[in-house]
Amino acid sequence: MNKNIIIKNASQLVTCSGFKAKRGKDMSDLQIINDGAVVIEQGIIRAVGKTGTTISEFDESRFSVIDARGKAVLPGLVDSHTHFVFGGYRAEEFSWRLRGDSYMQILERGGGILNTVLATRESKKDKLIEAGKKRLDSMLSFGVTTVEGKSGYGLDHDTELKQLEVMADLDNGHPIDIVRTFLGAHAVTKEYKGREDTYIDYLIDSVMPEVAERKLAEFCDIFCEKDVFSVEQARRLLSRAREMGFKLKIHADEIVQLGGAELAAELDAVSADHLLQASDKGIHDMAEKGIVATLLPGTAFSLREPYARGRYMIDNNSAVALATDLNPGSCFSESIPLIFALATLYMNITTEEAITAVTINGAAALNREDEIGSIDVGKKGDVIVLEFPSYEYIPYHIGVSTVEKVVKDGKLVFDKEKE
Ligand code: NIG
Ligand code: FE
């Protein structure tokens, strides 16, 4: 199939136009074109504008044509924080948490992340690929065209690399683009408990050089949390990571306020993620440096923790991204509709801001704001068509996907009407 598509007559073409993260008030600006069209040639957006003037310059017979009359069209969505490659499940832990156990108590007694580590070590690559593909298919149906995926369920050389290789294979074999992050510092196994610094040395000396050399991951991340890795340990690991060529992310201030947000600003990370407990200073430091605050409301919801202060962040000129955090423990959900429901109804984020947060700001959280996240000439032809005439239907149809069609790199890859 060729990668030439014209999408025309869109009641709203929600372009989210821009080539950098939007901060504060700018997050409300969706740059909408009524009766809009987008022309994609060889997988790249060539023209954007009013239908009449835009398509008149092109010979429609060379294109597949989608008539989006009565439908809103948006950029493909970017889920910029997930842990979607893992073995096994932890349904019993969900029940334990309902009965009162906390997420950290379960981890401390050897469950939680460590439970998934055992299952992921045992899983053969083809099984991980099969499960990963199913999860990607589901994400695609929600309009996601780029996803970030982390390692961190191996905590040893071979399994960390196995997870990253699985993501590389999936990237080649699935329409969704996958951005890979090395999260070897996600927890420590029993043999390293109390010797976290030794484990960090092991990652720096014996795992990360190969990950960097084989370009298996573009980002390096760490779970900086009380009883996991301290701010000092995070600083040491991430500083070395940067020297090796990784871009930086941090799981910061999720359960306890440790100063992860401040560290992200100090190290010029691309994003700091979670931030439920981030301090005012941390939030301001990040805003000043333009570091993306990636908020994961599904996790706060699932752990019954207070939501990150998204409204305060946007009011103080932060660039906020929203993502699912899909993982088998703290948030087993890839549901974009759930994220919209929580962000708008519980975090006081407006629909316009939430859309910016899963498009151009999600792209910026992956350092791809010049390539994806908006409908602009020169960007990838990643576009979604809704079943409804306006973007306002996205959170309004609570918990249900409003996505009818997904175009990735100029190819129709999902069509609800044909499912
Ligand atoms: O982002 N907080 C640490 N890591 C993941 C959860 C991982 C798991 O429980 O398997 C998170 O919430
Ligand atoms: Fe996470």
Side-chain angles (χ1 to χ4, degrees), residues 81 83 90 103 113 153 186 223 251 254 274 325 327 329-330:
H81 179 138
H83 310 245
R90 285 151 49 197
Y103 177 75
I113 294 171
Y153 292 124
H186 195 194
F223 188 16
H251 277 66
E254 178 178 355
H274 285 290
D325 197 22
N327 72 74
S330 65

Side-chain angles (χ1 to χ4, degrees), residues 333-384:
S333 178
E334 68 278 26
S335 171
I336 295 288
L338 175 66
I339 299 306
F340 269 98
L342 298 175
T344 54
L345 293 170
Y346 286 95
M347 298 171 83
N348 290 322
I349 290 177
T350 66
T351 305
E352 293 79 10
E353 291 164 344
I355 288 172
T356 298
V358 292
T359 54
I360 186 67
N361 283 9
L366 300 180
N367 202 37
R368 278 169 170 62
E369 59 272 36
D370 54 351
E371 213 177 285
I372 53 171
S374 69
I375 302 180
D376 277 307
V377 171
K379 287 201 176 183
K380 286 192 179 195
D382 299 355
V383 173
I384 61 177

Side-chain angles (χ1 to χ4, degrees), residues 404-405 412 414-419:
E404 181 185 280
K405 290 183 173 59
L412 182 63
F414 172 80
D415 192 348
K416 203 182 231 171
E417 292 180 322
K418 301 211 174 98
E419 288 293 296

Side-chain angles (χ1 to χ4, degrees), residues 6-236:
I6 288 177
I7 302 165
K8 64 179 186 182
N9 301 324
S11 55
Q12 283 183 340
L13 186 68
V14 181
T15 65
C16 301
S17 179
F19 291 81
K20 60 182 189 354
K22 292 189 182 166
R23 302 196 207 180
K25 285 196 183 63
D26 289 347
M27 285 186 67
S28 302
D29 183 11
L30 294 181
Q31 300 271 338
I32 295 170
I33 300 170
N34 295 321
D35 188 17
V38 51
V39 179
I40 303 170
E41 233 177 350
Q42 307 291 324
I44 301 291
I45 297 174
R46 296 290 175 210
V48 180
K50 288 269 184 202
T51 298
T53 47
T54 305
I55 61 174
S56 58
E57 290 169 30
F58 295 86
D59 170 8
E60 275 192 56
S61 67
R62 289 195 301 111
F63 292 82
S64 311
V65 178
I66 294 176
D67 190 337
R69 199 173 298 266
K71 290 165 186 178
V73 171
L74 288 87
L77 307 184
V78 181
D79 190 349
S80 60
H81 179 138
T82 84
H83 310 245
F84 80 95
V85 173
F86 54 84
Y89 288 98
R90 285 151 49 197
E92 72 290 355
E93 285 182 17
F94 189 86
S95 304
W96 297 342
R97 285 198 285 108
L98 294 183
R99 294 193 187 101
D101 288 356
S102 78
Y103 177 75
M104 290 309 281
Q105 279 167 346
I106 296 170
L107 177 61
E108 271 149 33
R109 62 176 193 247
I113 294 171
L114 297 173
N115 184 339
T116 300
V117 167
L118 294 180
T120 307
R121 286 180 178 179
E122 275 165 22
S123 292
K124 293 261 180 303
K125 232 170 137 174
D126 57 345
K127 288 281 171 239
L128 291 174
I129 289 175
E130 197 181 297
K133 186 183 170 307
K134 282 200 184 129
R135 291 171 200 144
L136 290 172
D137 287 343
S138 171
M139 292 179 209
L140 190 70
S141 75
F142 293 130
V144 171
T145 46
T146 302
V147 69
E148 184 258 16
K150 301 174 194 293
S151 69
Y153 292 124
L155 310 185
D156 63 19
H157 171 278
D158 291 2
T159 320
E160 286 294 312
L161 266 66
K162 177 171 73 179
Q163 267 192 281
L164 294 169
E165 286 164 2
V166 163
M167 284 186 257
D169 283 3
L170 285 167
D171 188 29
N172 288 329
H174 195 280
I176 294 185
D177 282 333
I178 300 167
V179 178
R180 299 184 296 271
T181 295
F182 176 71
L183 179 59
H186 195 194
V188 289
T189 52
K190 258 208 318 280
E191 66 262 38
Y192 282 106
K193 196 71 207 158
R195 299 194 300 130
E196 283 74 12
D197 275 302
T198 312
Y199 179 67
I200 286 181
D201 290 339
Y202 162 71
L203 293 179
I204 290 173
D205 297 337
S206 309
V207 189
M208 284 157 62
E210 187 174 339
V211 174
E213 205 220 320
R214 290 176 53 197
K215 297 201 182 330
L216 280 171
E218 181 175 333
F219 285 90
C220 181
D221 192 350
I222 183 165
F223 188 16
C224 178
E225 184 62 51
K226 182 170 179 285
D227 299 327
V228 189
F229 295 105
S230 67
V231 169
E232 293 70 34
Q233 287 161 341
R235 181 183 287 112
R236 188 159 76 84

